[in-house]
Amino acid sequence: MVRVITQETFDSVVKENVEDLDMDPEEAIHDAIKQFEAQGVDLTNIVTTQADLSQEHKIVNLINQLKTLNDQAAGEVDLRELKDSLQGLKGECDLDIAHKVMAGKAGAYQLLLDLLEKHEEDHSISILVLSCITSLMTGQPDLLTERGVKAILNSMKSENELVVVQSLKLAKQCCLRHEMNRQLFIEFELAPQLTNLLSSASSPVARHTCSVLRSLILDDDIRVPFGKAHEHARLIASDCGGLQSISHLLKDHKSDIETVNELLQTLGALVVREEFCREVEEAGGLTFLLEMMVTYMDDEKINRQAIKLLKALAGSDAVKVKIVQAEAIPLLISAISRHQSSQQLFLIGILAIAAISLRSPANSQMLCDCGVAELITQGMKEHLKNSDIQKNCALAIRNIVSRNRELCKDFIDLNIEDLLNLSVKVHGAAVEENIKDALRDLGLKVHLTERWTGTGKGLEQ
């Protein structure tokens, strides 16, 4: 079991090494680290770089300076000194998690909220304070309180774009790997405030707003057995009109690659229900993503996010028909071929092919006419060491041939049998079940393993 200690315990041992054993500070710190590590103590959250033991840690001194400045009347504060102290504290928090923990225990969080409220009208100070809180809470979002949520939401209403952007960055960090914080933000109606921001957002605000929206629908907190990612996605997409807002923004920012990338990524994350897929298609989302794949055909990021959204939309049988009618299949095959060296894009492309061909012999025929068999076999060769790609290629093959056996020949002629068997040899159990399913549906030989055979002993006649 991992043991932990306090910062004070570590500092006292270092001090004893200096005073009782006449070690110099660096030697004393090194010896203390060795002692605690030998005892199985986790020093991740302990600052082990303090050289001058006669003084407080630098981060504590900075917090004390900020407390002194906060106690002064607003008109008497030396703004230059305040900014220098805030920048110094941010720099210390950016060093590692141990410095963030020390700052949190020294009361930095409540102090920074006090400063944010006190200097609300000074945008330059507000930006610095928000930036400092972001550094403090990155990696330790447990510090968030209701007061902090209210302060963040209030900052998002600022007329200054930089203040809004910094408050959005802070909100995102608070939501990462913390389900309770996400639910707290939802409780205080962050979702409708974000969708309202999108209605008249500039490109930077739109990008960071999308980033926060995606953070609200994550399910990445291992401390919580069941999150509310789906409920949050439904709330944002439907109740708050997020799908309509993002779909309209796509047309307004189509010349901005970075913003288009964020908008496509957010749409792909929100279409978690069949009716949402139809809503995006009806709002022109399908037409737009195909237009972006043509306009930015050499941009791997744009194509990856567009294909990811296409795969999500293909989850609706009604939209799948529209995808085929829009002649998206040749464009999809072309995009995957062009960026075949990208493992991420190739994987999401294969998943899109699997979704489009599912329960649809006509779509499978069209995919084969566009060269999907060559694409899959070449991709399996190029990404032989990637088990996820091998597994999902086998899934795509199954979907393509399972309802149209005539298409098996397209794959068999390309020696897919040897390639599938090689994949099993390389990855073993990780891909074996999917590969054997594909071999079976292709009508090829499947090497079955008898898991258990009885000995015949102990059986009654």
Side-chain angles (χ1 to χ4, degrees):
M1 185 176 178
V2 177
R3 300 173 62 191
V4 293
I5 58 170
T6 63
Q7 185 69 50
E8 291 73 19
T9 301
F10 181 84
D11 291 344
S12 67
V13 171
V14 174
K15 191 173 182 180
E16 286 175 9
N17 286 344
V18 172
E19 295 176 351
D20 299 344
L21 302 176
D22 294 327
M23 295 182 181
D24 60 55
E26 287 188 10
E27 185 183 5
I29 291 172
H30 182 67
D31 184 75
I33 292 172
K34 284 182 65 178
Q35 286 184 49
F36 285 118
E37 286 181 344
Q39 297 170 34
V41 175
D42 182 6
L43 297 177
T44 303
N45 295 336
I46 302 300
V47 176
T48 60
T49 56
Q50 178 75 353
D52 189 351
L53 301 176
S54 63
Q55 299 181 2
E56 287 275 14
H57 286 272
K58 181 180 178 181
I59 203 164
V60 176
N61 287 332
L62 287 167
I63 291 171
N64 289 335
Q65 290 173 20
L66 287 170
K67 285 179 179 177
T68 302
L69 292 168
N70 187 49
D71 290 338
Q72 297 174 6
E76 300 174 2
V77 176
D78 184 337
L79 295 181
R80 182 71 268 168
E81 183 182 357
L82 177 59
K83 290 180 180 180
D84 289 344
S85 297
L86 286 168
Q87 288 172 340
L89 180 57
K90 181 183 184 303
E92 288 294 302
C93 287
D94 286 338
L95 290 175
D96 55 36
I97 187 64
H99 286 77
K100 300 176 197 287
V101 171
M102 178 180 282
K105 290 181 177 177
Y109 175 70
Q110 294 296 340
L111 172 62
L112 289 170
L113 290 180
D114 291 339
L115 288 168
L116 184 61
E117 292 173 358
K118 186 174 183 178
H119 298 277
E120 183 181 354
E121 300 302 320
D122 189 328
H123 295 150
S124 62
I125 297 295
S126 295
I127 293 168
L128 263 177
V129 174
L130 287 166
S131 178
C132 198
I133 300 175
T134 304
S135 294
L136 173 67
M137 298 189 69
T138 300
Q140 59 163 0
D142 288 343
L143 293 174
L144 187 69
T145 59
E146 289 189 6
R147 181 190 177 201
V149 172
K150 291 176 182 177
I152 293 170
L153 296 182
N154 186 56
S155 297
M156 288 182 190
K157 298 174 183 176
S158 173
E159 296 177 356
N160 185 283
E161 183 178 291
L162 295 177
V163 173
V164 175
V165 167
Q166 193 57 55
S167 64
L168 290 167
K169 289 180 180 179
L170 174 54
K172 176 186 175 181
Q173 289 301 326
C174 292
C175 291
L176 295 178
R177 294 182 294 279
H178 206 296
E179 180 64 23
M180 292 302 103
N181 284 357
R182 289 191 280 263
Q183 293 184 24
L184 188 60
F185 273 117
I186 291 295
E187 182 183 334
F188 278 84
E189 299 187 342
L190 172 61
Q193 188 165 334
L194 290 174
T195 51
N196 287 337
L197 268 179
L198 285 174
S199 61
S200 58
S202 63
S203 290
V205 172
R207 289 196 296 270
H208 289 287
T209 302
C210 285
S211 186
V212 179
L213 286 171
R214 293 197 305 276
S215 73
L216 287 171
I217 56 178
L218 292 173
D219 189 11
D220 57 357
D221 190 345
I222 61 174
R223 298 169 295 183
V224 179
F226 303 104
K228 292 189 175 182
H230 189 276
E231 290 88 337
H232 293 172
R234 180 194 54 75
L235 174 69
I236 294 166
S238 181
D239 297 0
C240 299
L243 291 179
Q244 290 289 338
S245 298
I246 296 171
S247 297
H248 292 146
L249 271 179
L250 281 168
K251 300 167 187 175
D252 298 335
H253 296 278
K254 63 181 179 180
S255 60
D256 185 339
I257 295 180
E258 194 176 348
T259 304
V260 168
N261 183 60
E262 287 289 329
L263 293 168
L264 288 174
Q265 192 173 352
T266 307
L267 268 184
L270 287 175
V271 286
V272 295
R273 298 173 68 162
E274 202 269 346
E275 59 265 34
F276 296 167
C277 296
R278 293 200 309 270
E279 187 175 341
V280 170
E281 190 278 324
E282 289 167 1
L286 174 60
T287 303
F288 180 84
L289 76 86
L290 296 178
E291 181 185 336
M292 291 300 98
M293 289 174 70
V294 172
T295 305
Y296 301 108
M297 61 175 60
D298 294 321
D299 190 292
E300 189 269 343
K301 279 188 177 180
I302 290 289
N303 277 271
R304 174 158 35 97
Q305 296 306 331
I307 293 171
K308 186 176 179 180
L309 177 56
L310 189 67
K311 180 255 179 187
L313 294 176
S316 163
D317 287 342
V319 177
K320 194 188 299 186
V321 172
K322 299 290 181 66
I323 289 173
V324 175
Q325 290 173 349
E327 299 183 351
I329 289 180
L331 192 57
L332 172 63
I333 299 298
S334 174
I336 300 171
S337 300
R338 186 178 296 108
H339 301 282
Q340 189 165 291
S341 59
S342 168
Q343 293 192 22
Q344 286 182 309
L345 187 144
F346 188 81
L347 177 58
I348 195 66
I350 289 299
L351 289 170
I353 289 170
I356 291 171
S357 59
L358 181 65
R359 301 188 306 274
S360 180
N363 291 357
S364 298
Q365 180 66 62
M366 190 176 296
L367 283 164
C368 285
D369 291 344
C370 292
V372 76
E374 292 84 354
L375 177 70
I376 290 175
T377 50
Q378 186 58 39
M380 289 184 73
K381 290 176 185 177
E382 186 170 343
H383 303 295
L384 181 61
K385 294 183 179 180
N386 188 314
S387 60
D388 286 335
I389 287 178
Q390 300 295 311
K391 185 166 54 178
N392 285 290
C393 280
L395 174 64
I397 292 171
R398 283 193 64 198
N399 287 358
I400 291 168
V401 304
S402 61
R403 298 198 180 202
N404 190 345
R405 297 296 181 182
E406 294 178 1
L407 300 178
C408 294
K409 188 175 183 301
D410 290 24
F411 291 94
I412 294 171
D413 289 348
L414 295 168
N415 296 319
I416 194 68
E417 182 175 12
D418 294 339
L419 197 52
L420 290 169
N421 286 323
L422 177 60
S423 181
V424 175
K425 288 180 181 178
V426 173
H427 298 287
V431 302
E432 186 175 13
E433 185 176 341
N434 295 79
I435 296 294
K436 287 183 176 180
D437 288 343
L439 287 168
R440 180 200 63 212
D441 287 354
L442 285 165
L444 300 172
K445 183 178 180 180
V446 181
H447 299 283
L448 299 175
T449 303
E450 195 168 6
R451 300 294 183 186
W452 177 85
T453 55
T455 61
K457 297 179 180 179
L459 297 177
E460 294 182 4
Q461 297 296 331

